[in-house]
Amino acid sequence: MDRFLIHDRSEIVVGRGIDHVLPPSERRTAALIVAQPSVAALATAMAAALDVPAQVEIVPDGDAAKTLAVAETLYEAGNVMGLTRHDTVIGVGGGAVTDLAGFVAATYLRGVESVLVPTTTLAAVDAAIGGKTAVNVGGKNLVGAFHLPSRVIVDLDVLDALPVPVRREGLAEALKAGLIGDRSLLGVLESDGIDAPLDEVVPAAIAVKVGVVNDDLTETGRRAILNYGHTAGHAIELAAGISHGDAVAIGMVVAGRVSRLVTGFDDEDRQREAIERLGLPVAAPDCDPTEIVRLVHLDKKRDRSGLRMVLLQKIARPVVETVAEPVLAQGLDVVGVEYPPR
Ligand SMILES: NC(=O)c1ccc[n+]([C@@H]2O[C@H](COP(=O)([O-])OP(=O)(O)OC[C@H]3O[C@@H](n4cnc5c(N)ncnc54)[C@H](O)[C@@H]3O)[C@@H](O)[C@H]2O)c1
Ligand SMILES: [Zn+2]
């Protein structure tokens, strides 16, 4: 079993089997369990095993759950149950549910305890770690709060049973963690690809994120390095309508080339091979390049500076640099996106 702590008050436990879901508390009277349809059975079993009365609320699958309307149904469930400030919201599912349950916990009664049980590799190595919660309003994750869960429980038996495409999503983020912060994690993913043992990969990827978050909880500085591959990645995800993991893989290819041009990063080919080894894409599907560039700049506008990107100087040595348009164009070119005339 591996155990991590964020700011001495948020515990992350990685192991096999789920026990001790709730941290000890004298005053807790009930728990509200928020779960996806795919893990309803797990949530029901969990409710039966808790030492306080618990109610299970099944929310729509995927990001359809991350809305204020769904959050409101959960607040109302809390009202009907008579949930108090000393009670707990438990999120069981992928990142969509851990984001939603965390958001409801952050806001209901001005904040109650949350416990998260991520059941996808992506939620385990990324979404459930670090206290960012959100719902989508207009754009993705535009309404949210920082709210650290008191406990996160990662059951590797659940993750091992995931369908390969869901497993791969999270391994894209684990690869990112290796590239920005852990050479040996990168090595495991390079040698075993999609079959890499989760007992090694998941704790190592969590350790990278925990290290960064402990330095910078509310994203004023260093936490930005977690966005490696995400500038172009997000834009391609939206423009092409592909999965987040695939988009981040392509975004890392872009960032790899930009890194080579800006910092002299000399492991661009190694990075590309690691991405391919996981069965992740290294080129963008056919989509509108004008839209991609518009989306990249939309990101930038919110930042008010020039286009800033996370780049690698070397493996495990990330930097944030301002990137000129022609350099970004060369990065996009590598994934088959021809920079449109502006
Ligand atoms: N808060 C953060 O820091 C952060 C970071 C990264 C991503 N996110 C968010 O996470 C979400 C994506 O997370 P995700 O990829 O886990 O998506 P998801 O929650 O939509 O889950 C993906 C799919 O896996 C299914 N699933 C979940 N557990 C399963 C199981 N045990 N067996 C079989 N199927 C299962 C789900 O039903 C869903 O269809 C996005 O909303 C994203 O914005 C948040
Ligand atoms: Zn991501």
Side-chain angles (χ1 to χ4, degrees):
M1 199 183 82
D2 293 273
R3 190 171 170 271
F4 305 88
L5 264 184
I6 294 181
H7 286 234
D8 294 330
R9 59 195 154 92
S10 179
E11 180 188 40
I12 299 152
V13 187
V14 185
R16 291 194 177 268
I18 301 178
D19 345 284
H20 307 295
V21 173
L22 294 171
S25 157
E26 305 262 291
R27 305 176 76 178
R28 186 185 297 114
T29 65
L32 172 61
I33 304 182
V34 183
Q36 284 171 329
S38 51
V39 291
L42 182 63
T44 308
M46 187 179 294
L50 295 182
D51 56 7
V52 289
Q55 180 169 320
V56 177
E57 290 288 325
I58 304 296
V59 295
D61 197 42
D63 265 45
K66 281 177 59 174
T67 69
L68 286 172
V70 173
E72 190 168 1
T73 65
L74 299 172
Y75 301 141
E76 277 159 7
N79 288 346
V80 172
M81 284 175 72
L83 217 62
T84 75
R85 284 189 48 211
H86 307 292
D87 295 333
T88 307
V89 174
I90 305 176
V92 185
V97 155
T98 58
D99 271 15
L100 169 73
F103 176 76
V104 166
T107 47
Y108 189 60
L109 302 177
R110 300 193 184 85
V112 300
E113 175 186 45
S114 66
V115 166
L116 301 178
V117 182
T119 63
T120 64
T121 43
L122 185 118
V125 303
D126 197 354
I129 312 297
K132 279 214 251 175
T133 76
V135 292
N136 304 325
V137 176
K140 203 165 157 64
N141 299 331
L142 287 183
V143 174
F146 287 98
H147 186 70
L148 280 170
S150 60
R151 184 172 281 172
V152 178
I153 301 158
V154 179
D155 182 355
L156 297 172
D157 286 336
V158 170
L159 302 188
D160 269 334
L162 286 171
V164 168
V166 182
R167 178 184 178 102
R168 188 178 281 129
E169 280 287 291
L171 293 193
E173 296 287 357
L175 177 61
K176 176 202 76 182
L179 288 164
I180 64 171
D182 184 345
R183 288 179 164 274
S184 61
L185 168 57
L186 173 61
V188 174
L189 292 168
E190 285 178 323
S191 58
D192 296 336
I194 191 72
D195 297 320
L198 296 186
D199 305 74
E200 287 179 49
V201 169
V202 170
I206 290 174
V208 170
K209 183 153 185 188
V210 166
V212 174
V213 171
N214 267 328
D215 279 357
D216 177 19
L217 186 62
T218 55
E219 203 161 350
T220 45
R222 202 168 105 83
R223 192 160 175 167
I225 65 171
L226 295 169
N227 290 329
Y228 182 64
H230 283 61
T231 303
H234 270 152
I236 293 168
E237 179 177 354
L238 287 174
I242 58 173
S243 77
H244 183 71
D246 283 1
V248 168
I250 299 163
M252 292 192 294
V253 175
V254 175
R257 172 59 56 90
V258 173
S259 296
R260 191 176 108 191
L261 296 168
V262 175
T263 72
F265 176 57
D266 60 10
D267 273 322
E268 186 191 1
D269 294 339
R270 179 180 172 188
Q271 173 187 273
R272 169 191 290 266
E273 280 159 26
I275 293 168
E276 286 176 319
R277 184 86 177 83
L278 285 169
L280 288 160
V282 293
D286 223 2
C287 55
D288 180 5
T290 309
E291 182 62 2
I292 292 179
V293 170
R294 187 186 73 81
L295 290 164
V296 165
H297 284 276
L298 202 68
D299 228 37
K300 163 186 127 173
K301 223 192 271 157
R302 297 232 159 178
D303 209 28
R304 284 171 209 286
S305 54
L307 177 63
R308 306 271 291 165
M309 273 178 78
V310 184
L311 304 177
L312 295 177
Q313 279 176 330
K314 293 176 180 196
I315 303 292
R317 179 128 8 121
V319 284
V320 180
E321 294 281 353
T322 301
V323 172
E325 302 257 326
V327 178
L328 174 65
Q330 289 181 68
L332 286 171
D333 190 57
V334 184
V335 299
V337 175
E338 201 178 316
Y339 207 82
R342 281 162 61 86

